Amino acid sequence: MPPDLAPRLPFESTANGRSRSDGTVVAIGKQQLRVTPVFDAYWQFAAERQRIFFRRLSGTSGVVTDDPVLRLFKFTNAYRASDRVSQYLIRHVLYRNDLPSDERNIFFRTILFKFFNKIETWEYLEAAVGKITWEDFSFKRFDALLSRRMAAGHRIYSAAYIMPSGGSVFGHKFKHQNHLRMLEHVIAEQFPAKFIACKTMAAAFALLRTIPFVGPFLAYQYATDLNYTPLTSFGEDEFVMAGPGALDGISKCFVGAGDVKSSDIIRYMFDNQERHFNDLDIEFPSLWGRPLQLIDCQNLFCEISKYARVAFPDYSGVAGRTRIKQKFQPTGVLPEPLYPPKWKIDAHAVRISGQHIGHVGDGGRRAG
């Protein structure tokens, strides 16, 4: 642990001085699980990360948090849809008046973007081919462009997800070639129509799992991204699938978590978020009235897993990782966010009316 962090860790106890890490037990289904200090940190982290988001959105420059771990290392937002890549997907890929809005094109654009999950790759392709549509898609042309970019020393994939190469399915040498073939496959197999015919997110997840080399975690991520589109209106409280990072975070928050389904634990956090924020005397600045959803609670387990590597090094989790690789790099004031219109979140209107987000140093605690 960096020596300058140890004396100032802010989440070792609750805001009012009561520690709940001394054997507190929570009931999840028929199981009783004892929580660790990382469990309380989960809620503190969620609130402070959300306050950072609002501080940056309101124009705060310089230091945006007193938390030394959050100041030094990079963490995603409390709400997945507020992250940089998700915001780009929503604004520049999904909701574009100059791009076709039929089900096939929206599905195609979403999957194309998410295969690479990298803004720079999308912008490179768009600069080269113009408007990206299924009707103008060419395996040969896209392959040549992506091969050229790789040859120039640029990464075309994000490091956020581990993407299988797909070589055993389509037989190409390079990963991007197999993924381009996969795009042809899903369109040929009528996946857009099959997807919008799904009545639940669980059914959509099951459909996406039938795409060759798309595993459970990727299928859940893709289902979530496609649910941002106007194609579906699944509730984000319907279904959840834990990824490896979330499983590690769960193991750090609870003793004996391996005996309980991870989806049940994530749902417990979703169902009981208000209770635990209140118990810890935390004023959580929600996303303009939208509570944390299952996907957000899942992601927060990933992030607290990372946070605990520094703040709670004695809790090694199931992964046993000890370092956080990515350092925080300030990028200035955030642009006005855009969320799926069906969520009915008008961030601009709410910002004008004002919302308490907490100042650096007050911890966002409730008055009392």
Side-chain angles (χ1 to χ4, degrees):
M1 181 196 309
D4 61 321
L5 299 185
R8 302 165 54 213
L9 291 175
F11 296 158
E12 292 178 345
S13 60
T14 64
N16 59 12
R18 291 180 290 107
S19 173
R20 300 198 314 169
S21 307
D22 54 359
T24 297
V25 172
V26 298
I28 301 180
K30 297 181 180 180
Q31 298 290 327
Q32 301 286 321
L33 293 183
R34 183 163 59 85
V35 303
T36 73
V38 186
F39 177 83
D40 285 357
Y42 176 101
W43 304 107
Q44 298 273 14
F45 174 94
E48 183 61 10
R49 186 62 187 84
Q50 181 68 351
R51 286 191 287 266
I52 291 171
F53 168 73
F54 277 122
R55 288 166 188 152
R56 293 183 61 203
L57 194 60
S58 66
T60 300
S61 59
V63 177
V64 292
T65 179
D66 288 333
D67 182 292
V69 184
L70 286 169
R71 286 172 63 178
L72 185 58
F73 298 104
K74 180 180 179 180
F75 295 92
T76 62
N77 280 286
Y79 289 85
R80 179 184 188 270
S82 297
D83 285 333
R84 174 175 171 265
V85 175
S86 292
Q87 278 293 300
Y88 189 93
L89 171 71
I90 294 168
R91 185 181 296 276
H92 298 289
V93 179
L94 304 184
Y95 292 94
R96 287 266 299 270
N97 293 330
D98 61 329
L99 292 177
S101 59
D102 59 284
E103 65 189 42
R104 185 171 60 178
N105 268 288
I106 292 176
F107 190 96
F108 163 73
R109 291 201 305 271
T110 306
I111 297 300
L112 172 63
F113 181 87
K114 290 303 296 184
F115 270 164
F116 301 98
N117 205 40
K118 195 171 181 66
I119 294 171
E120 293 79 6
T121 299
W122 174 271
E123 292 182 337
Y124 167 75
L125 290 172
E126 194 167 44
V129 306
K131 296 176 182 178
I132 296 177
T133 67
W134 167 247
E135 290 76 14
D136 294 326
F137 175 75
S138 161
F139 171 87
K140 183 177 180 180
R141 187 180 187 190
F142 276 56
D143 173 30
L145 287 168
L146 292 169
S147 297
R148 187 182 309 152
R149 187 158 178 82
M150 289 172 58
H154 297 284
R155 295 183 61 175
I156 63 173
Y157 286 91
S158 164
Y161 305 144
I162 299 175
M163 285 293 297
S165 71
S168 61
V169 180
F170 294 100
H172 288 287
K173 177 181 178 181
F174 295 110
K175 183 161 65 173
H176 74 269
Q177 295 171 328
N178 297 307
H179 293 164
L180 294 176
R181 289 297 187 201
M182 178 56 65
L183 280 168
E184 295 178 329
H185 169 77
V186 297
I187 298 300
E189 293 297 317
Q190 303 297 316
F191 268 76
K194 292 176 181 177
F195 184 82
I196 65 172
C198 292
K199 302 302 183 183
T200 65
M201 182 174 276
F205 166 82
L207 172 68
L208 295 172
R209 281 285 285 118
T210 67
I211 299 176
F213 68 74
V214 172
F217 179 67
L218 284 179
Y220 177 51
Q221 297 298 315
Y222 294 166
T224 300
D225 289 306
L226 285 163
N227 197 38
Y228 290 159
T229 75
L231 299 181
T232 58
S233 295
F234 306 133
E236 287 194 332
D237 59 350
E238 291 182 18
F239 178 81
V240 68
M241 175 61 62
L247 294 175
D248 190 57
I250 289 171
S251 71
K252 294 178 179 180
C253 288
F254 299 93
V255 177
D259 297 329
V260 182
K261 289 175 59 177
S262 58
S263 58
D264 289 343
I265 292 177
I266 296 169
R267 183 166 293 280
Y268 170 86
M269 305 298 269
F270 167 73
D271 288 338
N272 292 277
Q273 55 187 288
E274 184 175 358
R275 166 195 161 190
H276 287 296
F277 283 130
N278 287 335
D279 286 351
L280 291 169
D281 203 28
I282 298 169
E283 183 175 1
F284 178 69
S286 68
L287 195 67
W288 293 289
R290 183 180 177 85
L292 294 168
Q293 302 295 303
L294 288 174
I295 184 69
D296 306 316
C297 294
Q298 193 275 158
N299 280 7
L300 283 166
F301 273 124
C302 298
E303 298 309 291
I304 201 62
S305 167
K306 292 191 299 184
Y307 185 94
R309 295 173 202 171
V310 175
F312 303 92
D314 292 339
Y315 293 85
S316 58
V318 294
R321 300 177 67 180
T322 59
R323 295 190 304 113
I324 307 176
K325 293 182 179 179
Q326 291 185 302
K327 296 292 183 69
F328 172 69
Q329 298 291 335
T331 56
V333 177
L334 293 177
E336 195 79 52
L338 176 69
Y339 299 99
K342 56 192 170 186
W343 290 4
K344 294 180 170 54
I345 294 177
D346 188 342
H348 179 70
V350 179
R351 282 184 64 192
I352 291 175
S353 65
Q355 173 172 330
H356 171 69
I357 58 176
H359 299 289
V360 177
D362 71 2
R365 300 173 184 172
R366 297 180 182 276

